[in-house]
Amino acid sequence: MKKRVFVSFLMPFPIRGVEAPFLWVFLKQLHHFSADQVVFIGAKSYVDLLHRQPQDRVEFNEASGLHYGYAIPKKRKKLQHHFVFFDTAVLDEISTLHHGNSNEIYAHLLTKTDTTVVEHCTSLLMTLHETYDLQGVITWCNMPSLSKAAESLGLAVIHNELGALRSPLYHPTAYFDFSGVNGNTQSKERFTSFDQMFTDEECLSLEEIRNLMIVSAYELHRYDGYQYDAGIALQVEDDSNLLAFSNGYDALSLISRIKQMYSDQKICIREHPNGHFRYDKLGEIDISKNALEFLSKCRALATINSSVALEALLLEKTVHVFGDSPFAFAVKLEESARLKAINFSVFAYLIPYAYLFDYDYYMWRITFPSEKEIYFRHLNFYKELLQDVSQTHCAKVFADEKMEPPAIQLFVDSGKGFQEAHSIKYPLDKRKALHRFTFNLDKPDITQLRLDPINDSCVVEILSIELFSQSGTQALLTETLHSNALIADGLRYYFQTHDPQFVIPCNFKNPTSLNVEIRYVAIGRYALNTALSFTKEQVHHVQKEHQKALQAKEQELNQTKHALHVKSQEAEENQKALQAKEQELNQTKHA
């Protein structure tokens, strides 16, 4: 009996000159799919890199594995999965057609059906079909030639990509589409079926969707009125979305269009974190640390086809989408119908990231369940994570993590250091994220306290810490905390270590109790993923601020140089004038 496997097609063309451009996808699929569940078609470079694991490929870093959710395979371990090599010479004709222009070649592969490529893909699929019972083809980007080859064998093509809602701001999602990804998608067609199955009363409100999907209410910044009439969300200039599905728009033409539409109104531009260029000469640059903060400042959002469009719809913004996007249809709907479209987009079209490359889930989807079945399976997944927005990751995390019983522990130091014997430990309730504790203190001459929020990596929010003394006075300590957190952001602390600690100085005698109110946002591997993602975003934010400060300093220096040059010229002219006067005076004396 043949094994029932999916075929993973890994883009063989070196996008932006990078061999094996979807190497991390390959590593994640190796982590999730067994050799009995998936076979591969791709360039030989994927296997070569897997065996060599060069240091300059970030996909083999522990941080990348934690971020995307895969373990780094053992170096030089023999690949157990069947891998068929795609002959990259097949692409030479396309390369010649476009004079070796990498972006044009990539766009061609994303949008055109090429006979030579179709024939090669068909041949490779036929070879695999002789050995396996092929269930479908998985690809990380659009490739019409691959779809044409799969169609000839009666195989569905599953297009995956990172979803519109991503960590650390949201429960992460992924795209799952049988037609295309980003462009040429099924979203509008599927929504028509969804719309017929659901009544308005069955849909969640926007507030309910936000409560389920946004990791913490703390991330949803509030402002008293809008700062900008429109915000422009730019994208990576050579991203597939722009190369193939932009309807002819690029960053410059988008900015020009919005300046026309919002003439004499306040506009800000949000550059993409991975963008190649700066646009500060074209308008005010947004410096928000994340997309939610950016959106909260804007009355409207404009983009070519950035996934930020869905976030803007969730926040009830006016949205302008100028390229091909799976959410463009929702933007065009009347407000009364838009809520149902947002429900569909979040809970039926997008899938939970946890289902990405889950064999059982993929086998279920190729049976083509109804939109209602898909919707409720996804919705129930998110509901099981938490009961409300404050408990986002905790319920699933506490249940899944293989760790000793979760507990919070307070250590008391009376001059001899922190010792286990002089500590107070309370168990954590697995069913909730928000906890309040009172630690009674009976030791004299306490010099400092150490609070360990849990015995694992975590992301926590310290809502309040109050220290009471015998005289009844209290100290509010939230702003005097010292921690070993990877990074702190307001009330939130991101701990990468398995031994998170807060050290609390005790500045008055004989404290009687410590009251703590703490919210557990993420635990264990979820915390590591969140911390690393947030850190990358913060680093980029700091780099942008640093670059902005350097540019301001450079501009100030240039102005100073110019002023000195003007002063120097004035001094030179004054000197010449003085010399002329002296010469005139001497001539008068000798006359």
Side-chain angles (χ1 to χ4, degrees):
M1 185 176 179
K2 292 181 179 180
K3 296 174 182 176
R4 302 170 70 192
V5 302
F6 288 94
V7 180
S8 172
F9 182 88
L10 301 168
M11 172 59 76
F13 177 69
I15 303 168
R16 304 184 188 102
V18 177
E19 295 289 343
F22 297 136
L23 179 59
W24 79 264
V25 175
F26 178 41
L27 297 178
K28 186 171 177 65
Q29 289 176 337
L30 289 176
H31 179 81
H32 290 284
F33 289 128
S34 71
D36 293 338
Q37 296 173 339
V38 72
V39 293
F40 294 95
I41 296 175
K44 187 174 180 292
S45 55
Y46 284 94
V47 177
D48 290 343
L49 287 167
L50 176 66
H51 290 153
R52 291 191 294 113
Q53 299 191 12
Q55 291 184 351
D56 62 342
R57 291 302 295 251
V58 297
E59 295 92 339
F60 295 110
N61 292 344
E62 191 76 21
S64 294
L66 288 168
H67 178 68
Y68 290 114
Y70 62 83
I72 309 298
K74 289 184 179 180
K75 197 172 183 179
R76 300 192 182 281
K77 183 180 179 182
K78 183 179 178 181
L79 181 63
Q80 302 298 315
H81 296 67
H82 190 164
F83 199 111
V84 176
F85 295 140
F86 184 98
D87 183 2
T88 54
V90 170
L91 305 178
D92 289 349
E93 189 176 330
I94 300 173
S95 179
T96 301
L97 176 66
H98 296 289
H99 309 289
N101 185 319
S102 177
N103 285 351
E104 291 295 321
I105 298 167
Y106 187 28
H108 183 112
L109 292 172
L110 292 170
T111 59
K112 308 292 184 184
T113 302
D114 186 272
T115 304
T116 307
V117 179
V118 172
E119 290 174 352
H120 187 51
C121 288
T122 303
S123 173
L124 296 178
L125 289 171
M126 287 294 293
T127 300
L128 290 169
H129 182 64
E130 292 173 3
T131 308
Y132 302 97
D133 182 2
L134 305 183
Q135 301 300 298
V137 180
I138 302 170
T139 179
W140 199 251
C141 59
N142 288 10
M143 195 164 172
S145 298
L146 173 67
S147 297
K148 186 73 173 176
E151 183 183 358
S152 67
L153 275 73
L155 297 174
V157 179
I158 299 165
H159 299 78
N160 291 137
E161 235 267 42
L162 295 175
L165 305 179
R166 303 180 186 180
S167 66
L169 299 179
Y170 303 90
H171 289 302
T173 60
Y175 288 110
F176 189 109
D177 194 299
F178 288 106
S179 178
V181 65
N182 298 316
N184 190 35
T185 69
Q186 293 179 302
S187 59
K188 185 177 181 180
E189 173 192 339
R190 282 184 53 196
F191 176 67
T192 301
S193 299
F194 181 92
D195 190 25
Q196 294 170 353
M197 292 182 182
F198 277 80
T199 63
D200 292 340
E201 290 72 24
E202 290 178 284
C203 292
L204 272 63
S205 68
L206 287 178
E207 186 66 28
E208 288 172 323
I209 297 173
R210 290 193 292 263
N211 283 346
L212 272 176
M213 298 306 297
I214 297 176
V215 166
S216 171
Y218 175 66
E219 297 287 2
L220 189 55
H221 297 260
R222 301 292 186 184
Y223 288 84
D224 296 327
Y226 305 110
Q227 297 181 26
Y228 303 98
D229 295 287
I232 302 172
L234 299 182
Q235 296 157 256
V236 179
E237 291 80 2
D238 54 1
D239 183 77
S240 61
N241 282 3
L242 297 194
L243 294 178
F245 310 115
S246 68
N247 290 337
Y249 274 91
D250 59 14
L252 298 180
S253 55
L254 174 66
I255 293 170
S256 297
R257 177 72 182 271
I258 300 309
K259 283 183 175 179
Q260 272 187 316
M261 291 175 62
Y262 288 85
S263 177
D264 299 324
Q265 297 184 66
K266 290 200 69 178
I267 298 170
C268 71
I269 302 169
R270 181 165 177 81
E271 298 170 333
H272 194 281
N274 298 318
H276 305 304
F277 306 114
R278 286 191 56 79
Y279 299 86
D280 51 322
K281 292 184 179 180
L282 298 177
E284 184 174 345
I285 301 299
D286 174 68
I287 58 170
S288 302
K289 65 186 177 183
N290 59 50
L292 278 179
E293 183 179 337
F294 160 65
L295 288 170
S296 65
K297 297 176 183 177
C298 304
R299 181 175 62 84
L301 171 82
T303 183
I304 297 174
N305 48 16
S306 169
S307 59
V308 176
L310 180 59
E311 297 181 62
L313 289 171
L314 277 174
L315 297 181
E316 303 173 72
K317 307 293 179 180
T318 299
V319 181
H320 307 285
V321 174
F322 295 95
D324 188 357
S325 162
F327 311 114
F329 80 92
V331 171
K332 297 173 184 176
L333 294 175
E334 294 294 327
E335 188 174 343
S336 57
R338 196 176 298 158
L339 177 61
K340 192 182 287 189
I342 295 171
N343 270 264
F344 162 77
S345 298
V346 175
F347 299 120
Y349 185 68
L350 294 173
I351 71 171
Y353 187 76
Y355 290 156
L356 183 64
F357 307 144
D358 180 302
Y359 180 79
D360 292 335
Y361 178 81
Y362 280 55
M363 290 296 288
W364 176 66
R365 285 299 298 269
I366 62 173
T367 65
F368 298 97
S370 70
E371 296 297 341
K372 208 158 195 174
E373 289 176 286
I374 296 170
Y375 176 88
F376 282 112
R377 177 161 180 170
H378 296 170
L379 178 60
N380 289 334
F381 171 88
Y382 294 117
K383 284 186 173 181
E384 287 173 5
L385 288 179
L386 267 195
Q387 296 302 312
D388 63 52
V389 69
S390 69
Q391 300 169 337
T392 311
H393 283 304
C394 295
K396 181 173 176 58
V397 169
F398 278 134
D400 286 357
E401 290 297 322
K402 293 179 180 179
M403 54 182 280
E404 53 187 280
I408 187 171
Q409 191 167 12
L410 181 72
F411 291 84
V412 179
D413 180 13
S414 297
K416 297 181 180 180
F418 298 119
Q419 301 175 16
E420 187 76 23
H422 300 146
S423 70
I424 307 167
K425 183 184 288 188
Y426 292 131
L428 296 172
D429 187 342
K430 298 179 181 180
R431 297 167 297 176
K432 63 180 184 177
L434 182 63
H435 289 73
R436 296 179 179 86
F437 300 99
T438 296
F439 296 92
N440 293 316
L441 308 171
D442 56 3
K443 291 185 68 63
D445 303 321
I446 297 175
T447 57
Q448 59 180 345
L449 303 167
R450 194 187 89 198
L451 183 70
D452 294 5
I454 195 171
N455 41 339
D456 201 352
S457 305
C458 64
V459 178
V460 296
E461 291 173 2
I462 301 296
L463 303 181
S464 69
I465 294 187
E466 299 177 338
L467 188 61
F468 293 86
S469 70
Q470 288 180 335
S471 61
T473 58
Q474 60 178 329
L476 302 177
L477 304 171
T478 49
E479 295 183 2
T480 61
L481 291 177
H482 302 283
S483 75
N484 60 348
L486 177 67
I487 195 166
D489 178 48
L491 304 177
R492 179 171 287 196
Y493 295 81
Y494 296 77
F495 290 95
Q496 198 173 11
T497 174
H498 292 285
D499 187 22
Q501 301 175 4
F502 291 99
V503 176
I504 307 166
C506 186
N507 300 319
F508 52 90
K509 290 185 177 180
N510 301 322
T512 56
S513 65
L514 181 78
N515 287 0
V516 178
E517 186 174 12
I518 183 171
R519 191 194 317 277
Y520 293 85
V521 178
I523 310 295
R525 63 180 181 275
Y526 291 89
L528 288 171
N529 181 26
T530 304
L532 289 165
S533 301
F534 182 80
T535 303
K536 284 170 64 179
E537 191 167 354
Q538 283 294 90
V539 167
H540 174 72
H541 179 70
V542 171
Q543 286 174 338
K544 285 183 71 174
E545 287 293 281
H546 182 60
Q547 187 176 14
K548 188 177 179 182
L550 285 176
Q551 288 176 336
K553 286 289 184 184
E554 186 177 352
Q555 187 177 3
E556 184 182 343
L557 180 61
N558 289 335
Q559 289 173 345
T560 303
K561 284 181 179 179
H562 178 71
L564 288 172
H565 179 67
V566 171
K567 290 287 185 185
S568 177
Q569 285 184 320
E570 289 177 355
E572 189 175 339
E573 291 173 1
N574 289 337
Q575 182 68 23
K576 288 180 180 178
L578 182 60
Q579 289 174 346
K581 286 288 185 184
E582 288 179 351
Q583 188 175 4
E584 184 182 343
L585 183 61
N586 289 334
Q587 290 174 349
T588 303
K589 284 180 180 180
H590 293 91

Coordinates of all heavy atoms in Angstrom, one line a residue, residues 287-327:
I287 N 7.2 56.6 13.9 CA 8.2 56.0 14.7 C 7.6 55.1 15.8 O 8.2 54.7 16.8 CB 9.2 57.0 15.4 CG1 8.4 58.0 16.2 CG2 10.0 57.7 14.3 CD1 9.3 58.8 17.1
S288 N 6.4 54.7 15.5 CA 5.7 53.8 16.5 C 6.4 52.5 16.6 O 7.0 52.0 15.6 CB 4.2 53.5 16.1 OG 3.5 54.7 15.9
K289 N 6.4 51.9 17.8 CA 7.2 50.6 18.0 C 6.5 49.4 17.4 O 7.1 48.4 17.3 CB 7.5 50.4 19.5 CG 6.3 50.2 20.3 CD 6.7 50.1 21.8 CE 5.5 50.0 22.7 NZ 5.8 50.0 24.1
N290 N 5.2 49.5 17.1 CA 4.5 48.4 16.4 C 3.3 48.9 15.6 O 2.9 50.1 15.7 CB 4.1 47.3 17.5 CG 3.1 47.9 18.5 OD1 2.2 48.5 18.2 ND2 3.5 47.6 19.8
A291 N 2.7 48.0 14.9 CA 1.6 48.4 13.9 C 0.4 48.8 14.7 O -0.3 49.7 14.2 CB 1.3 47.2 13.0
L292 N 0.1 48.2 15.8 CA -1.1 48.6 16.6 C -1.0 50.1 17.0 O -1.9 50.9 17.0 CB -1.3 47.7 17.8 CG -2.0 46.4 17.5 CD1 -2.1 45.6 18.8 CD2 -3.4 46.6 16.9
E293 N 0.2 50.5 17.5 CA 0.4 51.8 18.0 C 0.3 52.8 16.8 O -0.4 53.9 16.9 CB 1.7 52.0 18.6 CG 2.0 53.4 19.2 CD 3.3 53.5 19.9 OE1 3.9 52.5 20.3 OE2 3.8 54.7 19.9
F294 N 0.9 52.4 15.6 CA 0.8 53.2 14.4 C -0.7 53.4 14.0 O -1.1 54.5 13.7 CB 1.6 52.5 13.3 CG 1.2 52.9 11.9 CD1 1.4 54.2 11.5 CD2 0.7 52.0 11.0 CE1 1.1 54.6 10.1 CE2 0.3 52.3 9.7 CZ 0.6 53.6 9.3
L295 N -1.5 52.3 14.0 CA -2.8 52.4 13.5 C -3.7 53.2 14.5 O -4.6 53.9 14.0 CB -3.4 51.0 13.4 CG -2.9 50.1 12.2 CD1 -3.4 48.7 12.3 CD2 -3.4 50.8 10.9
S296 N -3.4 53.1 15.8 CA -4.2 53.9 16.7 C -4.0 55.4 16.6 O -4.9 56.2 17.0 CB -3.8 53.5 18.2 OG -2.5 53.9 18.4
K297 N -3.0 55.8 15.9 CA -2.7 57.3 15.6 C -3.4 57.8 14.4 O -3.5 59.0 14.1 CB -1.2 57.5 15.5 CG -0.4 57.2 16.7 CD 1.1 57.4 16.4 CE 2.0 57.1 17.5 NZ 3.4 57.2 17.2
C298 N -4.0 56.9 13.6 CA -4.4 57.2 12.2 C -5.9 57.0 12.1 O -6.5 56.0 12.5 CB -3.7 56.4 11.1 SG -1.9 56.5 11.2
R299 N -6.6 58.0 11.4 CA -8.0 57.8 11.1 C -8.2 56.8 10.0 O -9.2 56.1 9.9 CB -8.6 59.2 10.8 CG -10.1 59.1 10.5 CD -10.7 60.5 10.3 NE -10.1 61.2 9.1 CZ -10.5 61.0 7.8 NH1 -11.4 60.2 7.6 NH2 -9.9 61.6 6.9
A300 N -7.3 56.8 9.0 CA -7.4 55.9 7.9 C -6.0 55.3 7.6 O -5.0 55.8 7.9 CB -7.9 56.7 6.6
L301 N -6.1 54.1 6.9 CA -4.9 53.4 6.5 C -4.9 53.3 5.0 O -5.9 53.0 4.4 CB -4.8 52.1 7.1 CG -3.6 51.2 6.5 CD1 -2.3 51.6 7.2 CD2 -3.9 49.7 6.6
A302 N -3.7 53.5 4.4 CA -3.5 53.3 2.9 C -2.4 52.3 2.7 O -1.3 52.5 3.3 CB -3.3 54.6 2.2
T303 N -2.5 51.3 1.9 CA -1.5 50.4 1.6 C -1.7 49.8 0.2 O -2.8 49.9 -0.4 CB -1.4 49.2 2.6 OG1 -0.3 48.4 2.3 CG2 -2.7 48.4 2.6
I304 N -0.6 49.2 -0.4 CA -0.8 48.5 -1.7 C -1.5 47.2 -1.4 O -2.6 47.0 -1.8 CB 0.6 48.3 -2.4 CG1 1.2 49.7 -2.7 CG2 0.4 47.5 -3.6 CD1 2.6 49.6 -3.3
N305 N -0.8 46.3 -0.7 CA -1.5 45.1 -0.2 C -0.9 44.5 1.0 O -0.8 43.3 1.2 CB -1.6 44.0 -1.3 CG -0.2 43.8 -2.0 OD1 0.8 44.2 -1.5 ND2 -0.2 43.2 -3.2
S306 N -0.5 45.4 1.9 CA 0.1 44.9 3.2 C -1.0 44.3 4.1 O -2.2 44.6 4.0 CB 0.7 46.1 4.0 OG 1.0 45.7 5.3
S307 N -0.6 43.3 4.8 CA -1.5 42.6 5.7 C -2.0 43.5 6.9 O -3.0 43.2 7.6 CB -0.9 41.3 6.3 OG 0.3 41.7 7.1
V308 N -1.4 44.7 7.0 CA -1.8 45.7 8.0 C -3.3 46.1 7.7 O -4.0 46.5 8.6 CB -0.9 46.9 8.0 CG1 -1.4 48.0 9.0 CG2 0.5 46.4 8.5
A309 N -3.7 45.9 6.5 CA -5.1 46.2 6.1 C -6.1 45.5 7.0 O -7.1 46.1 7.5 CB -5.3 45.9 4.7
L310 N -5.8 44.2 7.3 CA -6.8 43.5 8.2 C -6.7 44.0 9.6 O -7.8 44.2 10.2 CB -6.4 42.0 8.2 CG -7.3 41.1 9.1 CD1 -8.8 41.2 8.6 CD2 -6.8 39.6 9.0
E311 N -5.5 44.4 10.1 CA -5.4 45.0 11.4 C -6.2 46.3 11.5 O -6.9 46.5 12.5 CB -4.0 45.2 11.8 CG -3.1 44.0 11.8 CD -1.7 44.3 12.2 OE1 -1.5 44.8 13.3 OE2 -0.8 44.0 11.4
A312 N -6.2 47.1 10.4 CA -6.9 48.3 10.4 C -8.4 48.1 10.4 O -9.2 48.8 11.0 CB -6.5 49.1 9.1
L313 N -8.9 47.1 9.7 CA -10.3 46.7 9.7 C -10.7 46.3 11.1 O -11.8 46.7 11.5 CB -10.6 45.6 8.7 CG -10.5 46.0 7.2 CD1 -10.6 44.7 6.4 CD2 -11.6 46.9 6.8
L314 N -9.9 45.6 11.8 CA -10.2 45.2 13.2 C -10.3 46.4 14.1 O -11.1 46.3 15.1 CB -9.1 44.2 13.7 CG -9.1 42.8 13.3 CD1 -7.9 42.0 13.8 CD2 -10.4 42.1 13.9
L315 N -9.6 47.4 13.8 CA -9.7 48.6 14.6 C -10.6 49.7 14.1 O -10.6 50.8 14.5 CB -8.2 49.2 14.7 CG -7.2 48.3 15.4 CD1 -5.9 49.1 15.5 CD2 -7.7 47.9 16.8
E316 N -11.5 49.3 13.1 CA -12.5 50.1 12.6 C -12.0 51.4 11.9 O -12.6 52.4 12.0 CB -13.5 50.5 13.7 CG -14.1 49.3 14.4 CD -14.9 49.6 15.6 OE1 -16.0 50.1 15.4 OE2 -14.5 49.4 16.7
K317 N -10.9 51.2 11.2 CA -10.4 52.3 10.4 C -10.9 52.3 9.0 O -11.4 51.3 8.4 CB -8.8 52.2 10.3 CG -8.1 52.0 11.7 CD -8.2 53.3 12.5 CE -7.6 53.1 13.8 NZ -7.7 54.3 14.7
T318 N -10.9 53.5 8.3 CA -11.1 53.6 6.9 C -9.9 53.0 6.2 O -8.7 53.3 6.6 CB -11.3 55.0 6.5 OG1 -12.4 55.6 7.1 CG2 -11.5 55.1 4.9
V319 N -10.1 52.1 5.3 CA -8.9 51.4 4.7 C -9.0 51.5 3.1 O -10.0 51.4 2.5 CB -9.0 49.9 5.0 CG1 -7.8 49.2 4.4 CG2 -9.0 49.7 6.5
H320 N -7.8 51.9 2.6 CA -7.6 51.9 1.1 C -6.6 50.9 0.7 O -5.4 50.9 1.2 CB -7.1 53.3 0.7 CG -7.9 54.5 1.2 ND1 -9.1 54.8 0.7 CD2 -7.7 55.3 2.2 CE1 -9.6 55.8 1.4 NE2 -8.8 56.2 2.3
V321 N -7.0 49.9 -0.1 CA -6.1 48.9 -0.6 C -6.0 49.0 -2.1 O -7.0 49.0 -2.8 CB -6.6 47.5 -0.3 CG1 -5.7 46.4 -0.9 CG2 -6.6 47.3 1.3
F322 N -4.8 49.2 -2.7 CA -4.7 49.5 -4.1 C -4.1 48.3 -4.9 O -4.2 48.3 -6.1 CB -3.7 50.7 -4.3 CG -4.3 52.0 -3.7 CD1 -4.0 52.4 -2.4 CD2 -5.2 52.7 -4.5 CE1 -4.5 53.5 -1.9 CE2 -5.7 53.9 -3.9 CZ -5.4 54.3 -2.6
G323 N -3.6 47.3 -4.3 CA -3.1 46.1 -5.0 C -4.1 44.9 -4.8 O -5.2 45.0 -4.2
D324 N -3.7 43.8 -5.3 CA -4.5 42.5 -5.1 C -4.2 42.0 -3.7 O -3.1 41.8 -3.3 CB -4.0 41.5 -6.2 CG -4.9 40.3 -6.2 OD1 -5.9 40.2 -5.4 OD2 -4.7 39.4 -7.0
S325 N -5.3 41.8 -3.0 CA -5.1 41.4 -1.6 C -6.3 40.5 -1.2 O -7.4 40.8 -1.7 CB -5.1 42.7 -0.7 OG -5.4 42.3 0.7
P326 N -6.1 39.5 -0.3 CA -7.2 38.7 0.1 C -8.2 39.4 0.9 O -9.3 38.9 1.1 CB -6.5 37.6 0.9 CG -5.2 38.2 1.3 CD -4.8 39.1 0.2
F327 N -7.9 40.7 1.4 CA -8.9 41.4 2.2 C -9.4 42.6 1.4 O -10.2 43.4 2.0 CB -8.1 41.9 3.5 CG -7.4 40.8 4.2 CD1 -6.0 40.8 4.3 CD2 -8.1 39.7 4.7 CE1 -5.3 39.8 4.9 CE2 -7.4 38.7 5.3 CZ -6.0 38.7 5.4

